[in-house]
Amino acid sequence: MELQLNRMDYLQVGVTSQKTMKLLPTSGRRATQKVVIGDQDGIVTCFGIKKSEAVPVFKTLPGQKISRLELGGALGTVQEKVFVAAGSEVRGFTKRGKQFLSFETNLTESIKAIYIYNHYCDCKDQHYYLSGDKISDVICLPVEKLERITPILACQDRVLRALQGSELLYEVEVPGAPSVLTLNDGNGGESGEEILYGTSDGKIGLIQITKNLPVPKWEIFNEKKRGGVLCIDNFDILGDGVKDLLIGRDDGSVEVYGYDSANEPVLCFEHALTESITSIQGGCVGKDGYDEIVLATYSGWVTGLTTEPVYKEAGPGEDIKISQEMQNKIASLRSELEQLQFKVLQERERYQQSSQSSTAVSAVPVFSVNDKFTLNRDDASYSLILEVQMAIDNVLIQSDVPVDLLDVDKNSAIVSFSICDTETNGNFLLATYRCQANTTWMELKLRSIEGQYGTLQAYITPRIQPKACQIRQYQIKPLSLHQRTHVIDESRPMNTLSLTGQFSFAEIHSWVVFCLPEVPEKTPVGENITFYFQNTFLDTQLECSYRKGEGVFKSDNISTISILKDVLSKEATKRKINLNISYDITEESVGHTLKMIHPKLEYQLLLAKKVHLIDALKELQIHEGNTDFLIPEYRAILEDAEKLQEEYKKQPAHLERLYGMITDLFIDKFKFKGTNVKTKVPLLLEILDNYDQAALMKFFDTA
């Protein structure tokens, strides 16, 4: 069934956080519902729609930023009480806006929980659990179905943790860092144990959390490279009697998935907004009898994608007519726009006059920036997403370490590069992105080089007066292309770096945090810890095990061990701690790493060769008038010319990076033997230019 939805913007509140909008339930199936939303100004707003206009029901006074809004009530009753979390306080309101609960949890952290899970019953502390990594969402399986309380924590280390009381029942690994959880079908499915999850890298999955073990049902991979999942709901928008899956993403994508005969999700509708979707719910808001998907965006817009037709059906020979209600709304909006333009003009004149006064003080405008800096496993690149509540004028990117900026299809900004004087000011990159009008969201992609670490800074300037800028900093870590995993291949040849010395558990943990991404800053509970990592560029692996006074690091890549040795020595020296360093190098690991690089290097060399042939082949084609005389291989290159050039353009310096990694591997292999082979690097590069795997292996063995 083809789904047609029309967009309706209802109301704008302040900047919103994830999962802070709900629709209040009604007695009728398709009767209009009230919307309740909390924003970062601490205001809870409840409104309904009458004659296409938003009519307020209640609005609270400003306060602390609202980080979550949920509906609740006694078991077996209509869930229509509004509960909000703001700071460390929980407040409860009736559907009319009367506050009936103010519960101060006395937690040191805000309720947008970081590492700690607390369970309260009748406002009394019942259970407590300290998670090994940041908690991004929490949900409880339906008590009325299971007759037990089973909380599920979504944690940043790509794990869902099922609890029983204060104890961990079990962990289940998911294919990305989970960012949102919801009950399947709104009630956990038939068993009451089914959980839908979305990840920060855009994947979606369904998993059954039984009492003894998890049962994965299905997964949807993010093949279209859409944004991370921020919100999920279940609602029958297709009208076929089966609840559909509604998805909201941080790049503004809205998706509807129906289900096929095998109960597998199938994409049947998508829509793109220009800012992230913080909340999503199916219901009926605009007009009786017309279902819709209600969305809340980062800047505070409440928007409906409704099944109500905007145009009246035209009869034979008639033009399509806009409904009278819609005509009235357009006229009302035009009038409102004229009034706002006049008001802006007046205020601008007042500001210009006051700015010329000697006593005038110019206040720096405050604005919110929503940012995300994450490593993508698929292409070993970092994605920097910047979102501002108003239009962005420009973004300046500055880096004191070498990074490659990659092309992003969704980015319409014009980029210009400035020449960097690395020796004088330490800059390796200065790039300015000038945004088009009304751009509030943008994505940048970059790739770092392992072993080179420092800081990337973004200077964000929105289109406001007086001009103001916010600076955001992101750490490029020594092993920046490594990503956390939970299993490694024990059969690989491993090199070992061992450290001993007078250092505490917290100190060595802080060094690991400094070296590697996705390690929780909080020192783990217990006396020791083991973390596993995978290099997203080469697929090599790393195992870090450490405790007070001792650390053991194992990797199948000598260069990883070399980087760790240099950085950990430097960090210990800064703190005046003597380290005893020993290492055990396995010769076979070098050949193993070269074999892992081989398919990537071969592919990039072939791609470069094909791209360099395109112009010459096109000239031949023009000269001869056709391509019949060419061998099939060359004809295929011409047919795929655009695709090949696009791929090559998206991966600048990819070949150079692989050359660099092989060179580092060569130098590091002999460095651990106490030999300096830098004079032989030109010979190595010559072999790479005329690449043959056997010749390269022989060079490494005989050099």
Side-chain angles (χ1 to χ4, degrees):
M1 173 188 169
E2 192 181 334
L3 183 63
Q4 281 208 331
L5 300 176
N6 300 304
R7 177 174 167 174
M8 301 282 282
D9 292 334
Y10 292 128
L11 183 78
Q12 188 176 24
V13 295
V15 171
T16 64
S17 300
Q18 186 184 5
K19 291 173 84 168
T20 50
M21 181 210 72
K22 291 285 179 183
L23 305 185
L24 293 173
T26 59
S27 51
R29 157 75 177 86
R30 300 179 90 177
T32 54
Q33 295 169 267
K34 305 288 189 290
V35 180
V36 60
I37 184 168
D39 61 32
Q40 292 187 15
D41 297 326
I43 299 168
V44 180
T45 305
C46 181
F47 69 93
I49 301 294
K50 280 187 182 173
K51 294 182 180 177
S52 301
E53 295 292 328
V55 178
V57 176
F58 72 84
K59 188 175 182 178
T60 67
L61 294 171
Q64 279 189 293
K65 166 184 166 180
I66 292 169
S67 55
R68 180 60 66 89
L69 183 148
E70 292 290 346
L71 299 180
L75 287 177
T77 65
V78 179
Q79 307 288 290
E80 58 183 10
K81 290 185 169 66
V82 180
F83 294 88
V84 297
S88 59
E89 185 187 17
V90 177
R91 299 202 300 272
F93 299 89
T94 66
K95 63 179 182 179
R96 301 282 176 210
K98 184 183 177 185
Q99 186 170 334
F100 65 87
L101 174 70
S102 177
F103 169 47
E104 179 56 60
T105 60
N106 295 320
L107 297 172
T108 50
E109 295 175 329
S110 69
I111 293 174
K112 178 65 180 173
I114 306 299
Y115 295 97
I116 300 166
Y117 157 82
N118 289 82
H119 170 203
Y120 295 89
C121 184
D122 294 332
C123 298
K124 291 186 176 67
D125 202 349
Q126 293 281 308
H127 297 295
Y128 165 94
Y129 178 76
L130 181 62
S131 169
D133 210 328
K134 288 183 182 176
I135 303 166
S136 50
D137 202 3
V138 60
I139 200 165
C140 196
L141 296 180
V143 180
E144 58 271 28
K145 276 192 174 186
L146 302 179
E147 297 181 351
R148 66 176 190 270
I149 293 174
T150 308
I152 314 296
L153 310 182
C155 301
Q156 284 289 297
D157 53 357
R158 295 177 174 72
V159 162
L160 302 182
R161 290 181 167 89
L163 305 182
Q164 192 166 30
S166 299
E167 300 300 315
L168 178 67
L169 202 58
Y170 56 77
E171 297 179 342
V172 51
E173 189 180 356
V174 290
S179 51
V180 60
L181 300 174
T182 196
L183 295 173
N184 187 32
D185 250 5
N187 59 6
E190 285 181 24
S191 64
E193 299 173 324
E194 291 179 350
I195 293 276
L196 286 159
Y197 64 83
T199 69
S200 59
D201 57 356
K203 300 180 183 85
I204 308 158
L206 175 67
I207 196 162
Q208 187 176 350
I209 304 289
T210 69
K211 205 168 184 179
N212 302 314
L213 78 169
V215 182
K217 299 282 188 177
W218 50 255
E219 284 173 10
I220 304 172
F221 290 97
N222 188 11
E223 288 170 5
K224 291 185 179 178
K225 302 286 183 285
R226 294 271 156 77
V229 180
L230 286 182
C231 44
I232 302 176
D233 190 35
N234 299 274
F235 182 76
D236 180 18
I237 192 72
L238 292 171
D240 57 3
V242 178
K243 283 189 179 179
D244 307 302
L245 184 59
L246 314 180
I247 304 291
R249 297 180 182 269
D250 64 14
D251 64 348
S253 302
V254 181
E255 295 169 338
V256 177
Y257 289 86
Y259 291 93
D260 62 17
S261 54
N263 248 359
E264 293 284 325
V266 179
L267 183 67
C268 51
F269 176 82
E270 51 189 335
H271 182 84
L273 273 69
T274 55
E275 53 181 321
S276 58
I277 313 296
T278 52
S279 304
I280 190 167
Q281 194 174 344
C284 178
V285 170
K287 196 171 185 182
D288 283 352
Y290 291 103
D291 288 335
E292 62 188 285
I293 300 168
V294 184
L295 316 163
T297 68
Y298 171 70
S299 69
W301 274 106
V302 179
T303 296
L305 296 175
T306 176
T307 52
E308 181 189 357
V310 176
Y311 302 104
K312 280 187 177 175
E313 289 292 324
E318 289 182 5
D319 292 331
I320 293 172
K321 291 178 182 174
I322 297 174
S323 66
Q324 186 60 47
E325 203 174 294
M326 189 56 68
Q327 286 178 13
N328 294 343
K329 189 168 185 187
I330 290 167
S332 166
L333 285 169
R334 279 191 179 134
S335 166
E336 194 180 331
L337 190 62
E338 284 169 12
Q339 288 171 16
L340 284 170
Q341 284 172 333
F342 180 67
K343 202 173 177 182
V344 166
L345 205 64
Q346 280 184 317
E347 291 299 321
R348 192 172 283 155
E349 282 174 9
R350 270 182 61 195
Y351 175 74
Q352 294 292 346
Q353 286 166 4
S354 65
S355 64
Q356 289 162 9
S357 162
S358 58
T359 57
V361 178
S362 182
V364 176
V366 178
F367 59 92
S368 294
V369 174
N370 182 26
D371 60 341
K372 190 171 88 165
F373 189 60
T374 49
L375 176 61
N376 303 313
R377 182 175 290 199
D378 299 337
D379 59 0
S381 69
Y382 273 91
S383 169
L384 173 59
I385 292 173
L386 299 169
E387 184 170 21
V388 184
Q389 65 188 106
M390 67 271 292
I392 303 170
D393 184 39
N394 65 77
V395 175
L396 171 69
I397 301 293
Q398 179 257 335
S399 174
D400 58 10
V401 285
V403 290
D404 301 324
L405 281 178
L406 310 177
D407 265 12
V408 180
D409 293 335
K410 290 179 271 190
N411 193 347
S412 58
I414 299 160
V415 63
S416 54
F417 295 91
S418 302
I419 296 165
C420 296
D421 186 351
T422 309
E423 289 179 12
T424 308
N425 51 36
N427 286 332
F428 278 91
L429 173 71
L430 282 173
T432 307
Y433 286 85
R434 293 195 306 282
C435 300
Q436 295 181 4
N438 301 323
T439 299
T440 59
W441 184 98
M442 68 183 295
E443 181 184 12
L444 315 176
K445 270 194 162 191
L446 53 100
R447 185 174 290 126
S448 55
I449 302 167
E450 289 212 320
Q452 309 219 30
Y453 53 98
T455 308
L456 178 86
Q457 296 193 118
Y459 296 75
I460 306 141
T461 308
R463 292 177 188 268
I464 48 171
Q465 293 293 339
K467 280 285 180 210
C469 169
Q470 268 194 41
I471 303 171
R472 293 293 167 107
Q473 290 191 338
Y474 311 96
Q475 296 307 312
I476 306 289
K477 303 203 173 187
L479 293 173
S480 54
L481 298 181
H482 278 69
Q483 197 170 58
R484 280 277 296 278
T485 185
H486 294 274
V487 284
I488 58 168
D489 181 359
E490 300 282 357
S491 65
R492 291 187 187 183
M494 301 290 268
N495 306 287
T496 305
L497 172 72
S498 301
L499 311 174
T500 55
Q502 295 296 311
F503 50 79
S504 67
F505 187 28
E507 278 173 324
I508 189 168
H509 179 71
S510 71
W511 302 340
V512 174
V513 169
F514 180 80
C515 288
L516 286 147
E518 299 187 359
V519 181
E521 288 183 18
K522 204 177 182 78
T523 306
V525 178
E527 294 182 359
N528 56 16
I529 190 76
T530 300
F531 290 119
Y532 300 111
F533 296 88
Q534 186 176 26
N535 184 314
T536 53
F537 198 82
L538 295 180
D539 294 327
T540 55
Q541 59 192 30
L542 169 66
E543 178 186 336
C544 306
S545 299
Y546 53 93
R547 56 200 285 164
K548 180 185 176 182
E550 184 187 3
V552 178
F553 303 87
K554 296 178 182 177
S555 175
D556 52 343
N557 186 348
I558 284 182
S559 295
T560 302
I561 294 293
S562 175
I563 292 165
L564 276 171
K565 175 181 166 286
D566 294 344
V567 177
L568 293 173
S569 304
K570 204 172 174 182
E571 287 302 298
T573 306
K574 274 187 200 172
R575 291 170 172 78
K576 297 179 180 172
I577 294 170
N578 286 327
L579 285 185
N580 300 314
I581 300 177
S582 61
Y583 39 84
D584 178 17
I585 302 303
T586 309
E587 283 286 331
E588 307 93 84
S589 71
V590 178
H592 157 80
T593 306
L594 286 173
K595 280 175 188 168
M596 296 196 76
I597 294 173
H598 170 69
K600 295 173 173 63
L601 182 59
E602 199 173 45
Y603 179 80
Q604 287 299 324
L605 285 165
L606 189 61
L607 177 65
K609 184 184 169 186
K610 285 178 178 177
V611 169
H612 291 142
L613 281 171
I614 287 170
D615 287 343
L617 290 171
K618 278 185 176 174
E619 274 188 41
L620 278 171
Q621 185 185 11
I622 292 163
H623 189 263
E624 296 293 330
N626 60 51
T627 59
D628 297 345
F629 66 96
L630 291 173
I631 61 170
E633 184 191 340
Y634 288 165
R635 280 208 297 272
I637 290 171
L638 273 177
E639 283 165 16
D640 298 335
E642 201 174 313
K643 191 178 162 188
L644 290 166
Q645 284 172 324
E646 192 178 326
E647 188 181 350
Y648 191 69
K649 188 185 169 190
K650 276 187 179 176
Q651 301 284 356
H654 200 111
L655 201 54
E656 287 88 334
R657 290 288 166 263
L658 287 167
Y659 276 24
M661 285 172 180
I662 293 168
T663 306
D664 289 343
L665 189 69
F666 178 66
I667 292 167
D668 292 333
K669 175 188 173 178
F670 290 97
K671 185 171 86 172
F672 281 107
K673 291 181 175 182
T675 310
N676 188 336
V677 289
K678 286 186 179 177
T679 53
K680 295 190 178 181
V681 168
L683 195 57
L684 172 64
L685 293 174
E686 203 176 300
I687 290 168
L688 288 173
D689 285 336
N690 304 290
Y691 179 65
D692 174 69
Q693 190 184 11
L696 182 65
M697 296 285 240
K698 189 180 175 187
F699 180 79
F700 264 76
D701 290 338
T702 57

